[in-house]
Amino acid sequence: MNSIQDLRVFSEIVKSNSFSMAATKLGLSPATMSGRLKALEDHFGVALLKRTTRSLSLTEEGKYLFETSKAIIDDFEKLDKTMRARKGCAFGTVTIAAPADFGRKYLVPLTNEFGKDHPEVGFRLIFGADDVNLVENECDMAIRFGAVPDSALTTRKLGANPIVTCASPAYLDRFGVPEAPNDLANHNCLIYLDGKLPNDKWSFAADGEQSIVRVSGNRLVSDWTALIDLAQSGQGIIHASSWDVCHALEAGTLVPVLLDFQEEPAIIHLLSEQRHRLPLRTVEFIDFLIRRVKRMSRSVELSLRPPLELCGAA
């Protein structure tokens, strides 16, 4: 039994007082109409209509069903229209999981920009955790840096995340520019503290070969923003995501070094359900996000050029 459709068939037969007229209105054959009515009567175990060759009349149970089901059918049709309208309009809340620094610096401004043209769309932002489960946390999408585990989710490339070594112009003027990774042994390196573990093993590449250099310094900090502030104030050299230091590089408060020894960058991924399963608000924000992050990736790439190259291009 197809409950709502069978109720619609029954209601139309009663209102039309004719199988053939009801069938024409609903675009069904009279045989199909009879089959639907029989399924309804079998389901309830009672006769709903008395039929002769010339007329139709309701049984007591049929009259009760007809009068009661009208509100149910009306409510369902309103619900149907509402759900179809939601598919064609961008409104509701988009929930996004993302790394904290990327979220604060880039995702928040992007949601504000998107919201200007889509005032009916709101955002729920979950920052910090790299292993947020989209289903358990009711997320529409997640932004991840680096490799992602195999899953049924759709994975899109947003951009690249080069790791850059940099310091303030004042620090480099005072202590010199390192020419190779091993020169970092003679410099004060600002180290990110990941929980209780210092991230003091910095990775580089030369001629396709990876090298690990252990560094040391007088600052171990568990917050990237504070660590970048220390680097800008001339306290030492930092090894960080280009997305975290992009604005400082553009402003000239930090200068990239050891660019010839950069590793292949990790990829920034966007994870979500398959496109056809997403509401319009999420589809439109994903398309917007991909366009804007690609544009921003170009700015990140430009910020990694050596200062002299930038001057020569001007």
Side-chain angles (χ1 to χ4, degrees), residues 35-83:
R36 289 284 175 85
L37 178 61
K38 184 178 184 306
L40 204 58
E41 290 179 325
D42 289 346
H43 176 76
F44 291 119
V46 294
L48 300 173
L49 288 174
K50 296 176 182 177
R51 286 170 278 181
T52 68
T53 56
R54 296 184 178 181
S55 65
L56 298 173
S57 63
L58 288 167
T59 65
E60 183 178 342
E61 289 77 14
K63 183 178 180 181
Y64 175 79
L65 181 63
F66 175 70
E67 292 173 348
T68 306
S69 63
K70 185 178 185 305
I72 295 172
I73 295 171
D74 289 345
D75 287 344
F76 183 83
E77 288 178 348
K78 289 178 183 177
L79 176 62
D80 185 59
K81 289 179 181 178
T82 300
M83 292 302 295

Short mmCIF file of all heavy atoms in Angstrom, two decimals, residues 35-83:
data_model
loop_
_atom_site.label_atom_id
_atom_site.label_comp_id
_atom_site.label_asym_id
_atom_site.label_seq_id
_atom_site.Cartn_x
_atom_site.Cartn_y
_atom_site.Cartn_z
N GLY A 35 -7.39 -0.81 -8.55
CA GLY A 35 -6.37 -1.52 -7.80
C GLY A 35 -5.95 -0.77 -6.55
O GLY A 35 -5.74 -1.37 -5.48
N ARG A 36 -5.82 0.57 -6.66
CA ARG A 36 -5.44 1.38 -5.50
C ARG A 36 -6.54 1.34 -4.42
O ARG A 36 -6.25 1.27 -3.23
CB ARG A 36 -5.19 2.82 -5.94
CG ARG A 36 -3.91 3.01 -6.77
CD ARG A 36 -2.68 2.95 -5.85
NE ARG A 36 -1.45 3.01 -6.57
CZ ARG A 36 -0.84 4.14 -6.98
NH1 ARG A 36 -1.42 5.30 -6.77
NH2 ARG A 36 0.30 4.08 -7.60
N LEU A 37 -7.78 1.43 -4.86
CA LEU A 37 -8.89 1.39 -3.91
C LEU A 37 -8.93 0.04 -3.20
O LEU A 37 -9.12 -0.03 -1.97
CB LEU A 37 -10.21 1.66 -4.61
CG LEU A 37 -11.46 1.59 -3.71
CD1 LEU A 37 -11.39 2.64 -2.59
CD2 LEU A 37 -12.73 1.76 -4.53
N LYS A 38 -8.73 -1.04 -3.96
CA LYS A 38 -8.74 -2.38 -3.36
C LYS A 38 -7.62 -2.52 -2.33
O LYS A 38 -7.80 -3.12 -1.26
CB LYS A 38 -8.61 -3.45 -4.44
CG LYS A 38 -8.70 -4.88 -3.89
CD LYS A 38 -8.61 -5.90 -5.00
CE LYS A 38 -8.82 -7.32 -4.46
NZ LYS A 38 -7.91 -7.66 -3.35
N ALA A 39 -6.41 -1.96 -2.66
CA ALA A 39 -5.29 -2.03 -1.72
C ALA A 39 -5.64 -1.31 -0.42
O ALA A 39 -5.28 -1.76 0.67
CB ALA A 39 -4.04 -1.41 -2.36
N LEU A 40 -6.36 -0.19 -0.54
CA LEU A 40 -6.75 0.57 0.64
C LEU A 40 -7.77 -0.22 1.49
O LEU A 40 -7.66 -0.29 2.71
CB LEU A 40 -7.34 1.91 0.20
CG LEU A 40 -7.31 3.08 1.20
CD1 LEU A 40 -5.91 3.39 1.66
CD2 LEU A 40 -7.96 4.31 0.56
N GLU A 41 -8.74 -0.81 0.81
CA GLU A 41 -9.75 -1.58 1.53
C GLU A 41 -9.12 -2.82 2.17
O GLU A 41 -9.46 -3.19 3.31
CB GLU A 41 -10.87 -1.98 0.58
CG GLU A 41 -11.72 -0.79 0.14
CD GLU A 41 -12.82 -1.18 -0.83
OE1 GLU A 41 -12.60 -2.11 -1.66
OE2 GLU A 41 -13.90 -0.56 -0.75
N ASP A 42 -8.18 -3.46 1.46
CA ASP A 42 -7.51 -4.64 2.03
C ASP A 42 -6.68 -4.25 3.25
O ASP A 42 -6.60 -5.00 4.23
CB ASP A 42 -6.61 -5.30 0.98
CG ASP A 42 -7.40 -6.00 -0.10
OD1 ASP A 42 -8.62 -6.20 0.09
OD2 ASP A 42 -6.81 -6.32 -1.16
N HIS A 43 -6.05 -3.08 3.17
CA HIS A 43 -5.21 -2.63 4.29
C HIS A 43 -6.05 -2.40 5.55
O HIS A 43 -5.67 -2.82 6.65
CB HIS A 43 -4.50 -1.33 3.90
CG HIS A 43 -3.68 -0.74 5.03
ND1 HIS A 43 -2.47 -1.26 5.41
CD2 HIS A 43 -3.92 0.32 5.85
CE1 HIS A 43 -1.99 -0.55 6.43
NE2 HIS A 43 -2.85 0.42 6.70
N PHE A 44 -7.22 -1.75 5.40
CA PHE A 44 -8.05 -1.45 6.56
C PHE A 44 -9.01 -2.60 6.91
O PHE A 44 -9.57 -2.64 7.99
CB PHE A 44 -8.87 -0.17 6.33
CG PHE A 44 -8.03 1.07 6.30
CD1 PHE A 44 -7.99 1.88 5.17
CD2 PHE A 44 -7.28 1.44 7.41
CE1 PHE A 44 -7.22 3.02 5.14
CE2 PHE A 44 -6.51 2.59 7.39
CZ PHE A 44 -6.46 3.39 6.25
N GLY A 45 -9.19 -3.51 5.94
CA GLY A 45 -10.05 -4.66 6.20
C GLY A 45 -11.53 -4.34 6.20
O GLY A 45 -12.32 -5.07 6.80
N VAL A 46 -11.90 -3.26 5.54
CA VAL A 46 -13.31 -2.86 5.46
C VAL A 46 -13.60 -2.34 4.06
O VAL A 46 -12.71 -1.89 3.35
CB VAL A 46 -13.66 -1.75 6.50
CG1 VAL A 46 -13.55 -2.27 7.92
CG2 VAL A 46 -12.79 -0.52 6.28
N ALA A 47 -14.89 -2.39 3.68
CA ALA A 47 -15.30 -1.79 2.41
C ALA A 47 -15.45 -0.29 2.61
O ALA A 47 -15.96 0.17 3.64
CB ALA A 47 -16.63 -2.40 1.96
N LEU A 48 -14.99 0.48 1.63
CA LEU A 48 -15.06 1.94 1.72
C LEU A 48 -16.12 2.52 0.79
O LEU A 48 -16.66 3.59 1.09
CB LEU A 48 -13.68 2.53 1.37
CG LEU A 48 -12.52 2.09 2.27
CD1 LEU A 48 -11.20 2.60 1.72
CD2 LEU A 48 -12.72 2.56 3.70
N LEU A 49 -16.37 1.85 -0.30
CA LEU A 49 -17.36 2.32 -1.27
C LEU A 49 -18.32 1.20 -1.64
O LEU A 49 -17.92 0.02 -1.71
CB LEU A 49 -16.67 2.81 -2.56
CG LEU A 49 -15.90 4.13 -2.51
CD1 LEU A 49 -15.18 4.33 -3.83
CD2 LEU A 49 -16.84 5.29 -2.22
N LYS A 50 -19.57 1.59 -1.88
CA LYS A 50 -20.53 0.67 -2.47
C LYS A 50 -20.68 1.07 -3.93
O LYS A 50 -20.97 2.23 -4.23
CB LYS A 50 -21.87 0.77 -1.76
CG LYS A 50 -21.83 0.33 -0.30
CD LYS A 50 -23.18 0.55 0.37
CE LYS A 50 -23.13 0.16 1.84
NZ LYS A 50 -24.43 0.42 2.53
N ARG A 51 -20.43 0.14 -4.83
CA ARG A 51 -20.42 0.46 -6.25
C ARG A 51 -21.52 -0.29 -6.99
O ARG A 51 -21.71 -1.49 -6.79
CB ARG A 51 -19.07 0.11 -6.86
CG ARG A 51 -17.96 1.05 -6.49
CD ARG A 51 -16.61 0.50 -6.92
NE ARG A 51 -16.11 -0.46 -5.92
CZ ARG A 51 -14.95 -1.08 -6.02
NH1 ARG A 51 -14.18 -0.87 -7.07
NH2 ARG A 51 -14.57 -1.92 -5.08
N THR A 52 -22.24 0.45 -7.83
CA THR A 52 -23.15 -0.17 -8.78
C THR A 52 -22.73 0.31 -10.17
O THR A 52 -21.81 1.11 -10.31
CB THR A 52 -24.61 0.24 -8.51
OG1 THR A 52 -24.78 1.63 -8.79
CG2 THR A 52 -25.00 -0.03 -7.06
N THR A 53 -23.41 -0.14 -11.19
CA THR A 53 -23.08 0.29 -12.55
C THR A 53 -23.38 1.77 -12.76
O THR A 53 -22.85 2.38 -13.68
CB THR A 53 -23.85 -0.54 -13.58
OG1 THR A 53 -25.25 -0.44 -13.30
CG2 THR A 53 -23.40 -2.00 -13.54
N ARG A 54 -24.22 2.34 -11.91
CA ARG A 54 -24.65 3.72 -12.12
C ARG A 54 -24.17 4.70 -11.04
O ARG A 54 -24.17 5.90 -11.26
CB ARG A 54 -26.18 3.80 -12.20
CG ARG A 54 -26.76 3.06 -13.38
CD ARG A 54 -28.26 3.25 -13.45
NE ARG A 54 -28.84 2.59 -14.62
CZ ARG A 54 -30.14 2.63 -14.92
NH1 ARG A 54 -30.97 3.30 -14.14
NH2 ARG A 54 -30.59 1.99 -15.99
N SER A 55 -23.81 4.21 -9.86
CA SER A 55 -23.50 5.16 -8.78
C SER A 55 -22.46 4.60 -7.81
O SER A 55 -22.17 3.40 -7.81
CB SER A 55 -24.78 5.51 -8.01
OG SER A 55 -25.27 4.35 -7.35
N LEU A 56 -21.92 5.54 -7.03
CA LEU A 56 -21.00 5.21 -5.95
C LEU A 56 -21.56 5.80 -4.66
O LEU A 56 -22.11 6.90 -4.67
CB LEU A 56 -19.61 5.82 -6.20
CG LEU A 56 -18.83 5.38 -7.44
CD1 LEU A 56 -17.58 6.24 -7.58
CD2 LEU A 56 -18.47 3.92 -7.33
N SER A 57 -21.41 5.08 -3.58
CA SER A 57 -21.80 5.64 -2.29
C SER A 57 -20.81 5.17 -1.23
O SER A 57 -20.20 4.11 -1.35
CB SER A 57 -23.23 5.20 -1.92
OG SER A 57 -23.30 3.79 -1.77
N LEU A 58 -20.64 6.00 -0.23
CA LEU A 58 -19.68 5.72 0.83
C LEU A 58 -20.29 4.81 1.89
O LEU A 58 -21.46 4.97 2.27
CB LEU A 58 -19.23 7.02 1.50
CG LEU A 58 -18.29 7.92 0.70
CD1 LEU A 58 -18.19 9.29 1.37
CD2 LEU A 58 -16.90 7.29 0.62
N THR A 59 -19.50 3.90 2.36
CA THR A 59 -19.87 3.18 3.57
C THR A 59 -19.61 4.10 4.76
O THR A 59 -19.01 5.19 4.61
CB THR A 59 -19.04 1.90 3.74
OG1 THR A 59 -17.68 2.26 3.93
CG2 THR A 59 -19.18 1.00 2.52
N GLU A 60 -20.06 3.68 5.94
CA GLU A 60 -19.79 4.50 7.13
C GLU A 60 -18.29 4.67 7.35
O GLU A 60 -17.81 5.76 7.66
CB GLU A 60 -20.44 3.85 8.36
CG GLU A 60 -20.29 4.68 9.63
CD GLU A 60 -20.98 4.05 10.82
OE1 GLU A 60 -21.84 3.17 10.62
OE2 GLU A 60 -20.64 4.44 11.94
N GLU A 61 -17.54 3.58 7.14
CA GLU A 61 -16.07 3.66 7.30
C GLU A 61 -15.45 4.53 6.22
O GLU A 61 -14.50 5.27 6.46
CB GLU A 61 -15.46 2.25 7.26
CG GLU A 61 -15.76 1.38 8.46
CD GLU A 61 -17.16 0.81 8.44
OE1 GLU A 61 -17.82 0.87 7.38
OE2 GLU A 61 -17.60 0.29 9.48
N GLY A 62 -16.00 4.43 4.99
CA GLY A 62 -15.50 5.26 3.90
C GLY A 62 -15.73 6.73 4.16
O GLY A 62 -14.86 7.57 3.86
N LYS A 63 -16.90 7.07 4.73
CA LYS A 63 -17.20 8.46 5.05
C LYS A 63 -16.22 9.00 6.09
O LYS A 63 -15.71 10.11 5.97
CB LYS A 63 -18.63 8.58 5.54
CG LYS A 63 -19.05 10.02 5.83
CD LYS A 63 -20.51 10.08 6.27
CE LYS A 63 -20.92 11.53 6.55
NZ LYS A 63 -22.34 11.63 7.01
N TYR A 64 -15.95 8.17 7.11
CA TYR A 64 -15.00 8.59 8.16
C TYR A 64 -13.61 8.81 7.57
O TYR A 64 -12.93 9.80 7.87
CB TYR A 64 -14.95 7.54 9.27
CG TYR A 64 -13.92 7.83 10.33
CD1 TYR A 64 -14.16 8.76 11.33
CD2 TYR A 64 -12.67 7.19 10.30
CE1 TYR A 64 -13.21 9.04 12.29
CE2 TYR A 64 -11.72 7.46 11.25
CZ TYR A 64 -11.98 8.39 12.25
OH TYR A 64 -11.03 8.68 13.19
N LEU A 65 -13.17 7.86 6.73
CA LEU A 65 -11.84 7.98 6.13
C LEU A 65 -11.75 9.22 5.24
O LEU A 65 -10.75 9.95 5.27
CB LEU A 65 -11.51 6.73 5.32
CG LEU A 65 -10.12 6.72 4.66
CD1 LEU A 65 -9.02 6.75 5.72
CD2 LEU A 65 -9.95 5.48 3.77
N PHE A 66 -12.76 9.47 4.45
CA PHE A 66 -12.75 10.62 3.54
C PHE A 66 -12.65 11.93 4.33
O PHE A 66 -11.84 12.80 4.01
CB PHE A 66 -14.02 10.62 2.69
CG PHE A 66 -14.16 11.84 1.82
CD1 PHE A 66 -13.31 12.05 0.74
CD2 PHE A 66 -15.13 12.81 2.10
CE1 PHE A 66 -13.43 13.17 -0.06
CE2 PHE A 66 -15.25 13.94 1.30
CZ PHE A 66 -14.40 14.14 0.22
N GLU A 67 -13.46 12.06 5.37
CA GLU A 67 -13.47 13.31 6.15
C GLU A 67 -12.16 13.48 6.93
O GLU A 67 -11.65 14.60 7.06
CB GLU A 67 -14.67 13.31 7.10
CG GLU A 67 -16.00 13.40 6.38
CD GLU A 67 -17.19 13.25 7.32
OE1 GLU A 67 -16.97 12.85 8.49
OE2 GLU A 67 -18.33 13.51 6.88
N THR A 68 -11.65 12.40 7.45
CA THR A 68 -10.42 12.48 8.28
C THR A 68 -9.18 12.66 7.42
O THR A 68 -8.25 13.38 7.81
CB THR A 68 -10.28 11.21 9.14
OG1 THR A 68 -11.47 11.01 9.88
CG2 THR A 68 -9.10 11.33 10.09
N SER A 69 -9.15 12.01 6.27
CA SER A 69 -7.92 12.03 5.47
C SER A 69 -7.70 13.36 4.76
O SER A 69 -6.58 13.64 4.30
CB SER A 69 -7.96 10.90 4.43
OG SER A 69 -9.04 11.09 3.52
N LYS A 70 -8.73 14.20 4.64
CA LYS A 70 -8.57 15.48 3.94
C LYS A 70 -7.47 16.32 4.57
O LYS A 70 -6.61 16.88 3.87
CB LYS A 70 -9.88 16.26 3.93
CG LYS A 70 -9.83 17.55 3.12
CD LYS A 70 -11.17 18.24 3.11
CE LYS A 70 -11.13 19.47 2.17
NZ LYS A 70 -10.06 20.42 2.51
N ALA A 71 -7.45 16.42 5.90
CA ALA A 71 -6.43 17.21 6.59
C ALA A 71 -5.05 16.59 6.40
O ALA A 71 -4.04 17.31 6.23
CB ALA A 71 -6.76 17.33 8.07
N ILE A 72 -5.00 15.25 6.41
CA ILE A 72 -3.71 14.56 6.24
C ILE A 72 -3.15 14.84 4.85
O ILE A 72 -1.95 15.14 4.69
CB ILE A 72 -3.89 13.04 6.45
CG1 ILE A 72 -4.31 12.77 7.89
CG2 ILE A 72 -2.61 12.29 6.10
CD1 ILE A 72 -4.71 11.33 8.15
N ILE A 73 -4.00 14.75 3.82
CA ILE A 73 -3.55 15.00 2.45
C ILE A 73 -3.11 16.44 2.28
O ILE A 73 -2.08 16.73 1.66
CB ILE A 73 -4.67 14.65 1.45
CG1 ILE A 73 -4.96 13.14 1.49
CG2 ILE A 73 -4.30 15.08 0.04
CD1 ILE A 73 -6.18 12.73 0.71
N ASP A 74 -3.88 17.39 2.85
CA ASP A 74 -3.52 18.81 2.75
C ASP A 74 -2.17 19.07 3.41
O ASP A 74 -1.32 19.80 2.85
CB ASP A 74 -4.60 19.68 3.40
CG ASP A 74 -5.88 19.72 2.58
OD1 ASP A 74 -5.84 19.32 1.40
OD2 ASP A 74 -6.91 20.16 3.12
N ASP A 75 -1.96 18.50 4.61
CA ASP A 75 -0.69 18.69 5.32
C ASP A 75 0.47 18.11 4.53
O ASP A 75 1.56 18.70 4.46
CB ASP A 75 -0.75 18.06 6.70
CG ASP A 75 -1.61 18.85 7.68
OD1 ASP A 75 -1.91 20.02 7.38
OD2 ASP A 75 -1.97 18.29 8.73
N PHE A 76 0.25 16.94 3.93
CA PHE A 76 1.34 16.32 3.16
C PHE A 76 1.67 17.15 1.93
O PHE A 76 2.85 17.30 1.59
CB PHE A 76 0.96 14.90 2.74
CG PHE A 76 2.06 14.19 2.02
CD1 PHE A 76 3.07 13.56 2.72
CD2 PHE A 76 2.11 14.17 0.63
CE1 PHE A 76 4.11 12.92 2.05
CE2 PHE A 76 3.14 13.54 -0.04
CZ PHE A 76 4.14 12.92 0.68
N GLU A 77 0.65 17.70 1.27
CA GLU A 77 0.90 18.51 0.08
C GLU A 77 1.66 19.79 0.43
O GLU A 77 2.53 20.23 -0.31
CB GLU A 77 -0.42 18.82 -0.62
CG GLU A 77 -1.01 17.59 -1.32
CD GLU A 77 -2.34 17.87 -1.98
OE1 GLU A 77 -2.92 18.94 -1.71
OE2 GLU A 77 -2.80 17.01 -2.76
N LYS A 78 1.33 20.37 1.60
CA LYS A 78 2.09 21.54 2.06
C LYS A 78 3.54 21.16 2.32
O LYS A 78 4.47 21.88 1.96
CB LYS A 78 1.45 22.11 3.32
CG LYS A 78 0.12 22.79 3.11
CD LYS A 78 -0.45 23.28 4.44
CE LYS A 78 -1.83 23.89 4.25
NZ LYS A 78 -2.44 24.30 5.55
N LEU A 79 3.73 20.00 2.98
CA LEU A 79 5.09 19.51 3.26
C LEU A 79 5.84 19.24 1.97
O LEU A 79 7.02 19.59 1.83
CB LEU A 79 5.01 18.23 4.10
CG LEU A 79 6.33 17.52 4.40
CD1 LEU A 79 7.25 18.43 5.21
CD2 LEU A 79 6.09 16.21 5.15
N ASP A 80 5.16 18.65 0.99
CA ASP A 80 5.78 18.35 -0.30
C ASP A 80 6.25 19.63 -0.99
O ASP A 80 7.38 19.70 -1.51
CB ASP A 80 4.79 17.60 -1.17
CG ASP A 80 5.40 17.14 -2.49
OD1 ASP A 80 6.38 16.38 -2.46
OD2 ASP A 80 4.90 17.56 -3.55
N LYS A 81 5.40 20.64 -0.98
CA LYS A 81 5.75 21.92 -1.60
C LYS A 81 6.94 22.57 -0.87
O LYS A 81 7.84 23.13 -1.50
CB LYS A 81 4.55 22.87 -1.60
CG LYS A 81 3.45 22.47 -2.57
CD LYS A 81 2.28 23.43 -2.50
CE LYS A 81 1.17 23.02 -3.45
NZ LYS A 81 0.00 23.94 -3.34
N THR A 82 6.92 22.49 0.46
CA THR A 82 8.02 23.08 1.24
C THR A 82 9.33 22.40 0.95
O THR A 82 10.37 23.06 0.76
CB THR A 82 7.70 22.99 2.74
OG1 THR A 82 6.49 23.69 3.01
CG2 THR A 82 8.82 23.59 3.58
N MET A 83 9.33 21.06 0.92
CA MET A 83 10.56 20.33 0.66
C MET A 83 11.09 20.58 -0.75
O MET A 83 12.29 20.72 -0.96
CB MET A 83 10.33 18.83 0.87
CG MET A 83 10.07 18.44 2.32
SD MET A 83 11.42 18.92 3.43
CE MET A 83 12.76 17.91 2.81
#
